[in-house]
Amino acid sequence: MTPLAPMLFLPMASIANMGKNVSWLAASATRANILLSFARRANLADVTAKAGSQTIVASTLGTAAGVIVSPLVGSDPYVIIPALFV
């Protein structure tokens, strides 16, 4: 969205960061109970470690995909915005 309105970069980035923090707070508040439901024989630490590892792998793969797709998309705002929904 910021390529269409570069003068609004700071307010858009601030709102996006607030949304990210709210979602992180909601996720972290419920994560322990969800992981506890997956735990067998009181192995919550193992389940939590594996969930953390999966999160890191997914984040790394997402970053790699973004790096690969970025040159294909270019810097034209009318190409970037539809690419967000693919």
Side-chain angles (χ1 to χ4, degrees), residues 22-46:
V22 167
S23 66
W24 182 84
L25 181 64
S28 62
T30 58
R31 183 177 297 120
N33 284 335
I34 292 171
L35 293 178
L36 187 58
S37 72
F38 293 139
R40 304 264 185 223
R41 299 182 306 260
N43 63 345
L44 181 59
D46 292 336

Side-chain angles (χ1 to χ4, degrees), residues 13 30 41-42 53-55 67 71-72 80:
T30 58
R41 299 182 306 260
S53 296
Q54 287 178 348
T55 301
V67 168
L72 302 173
I80 293 173

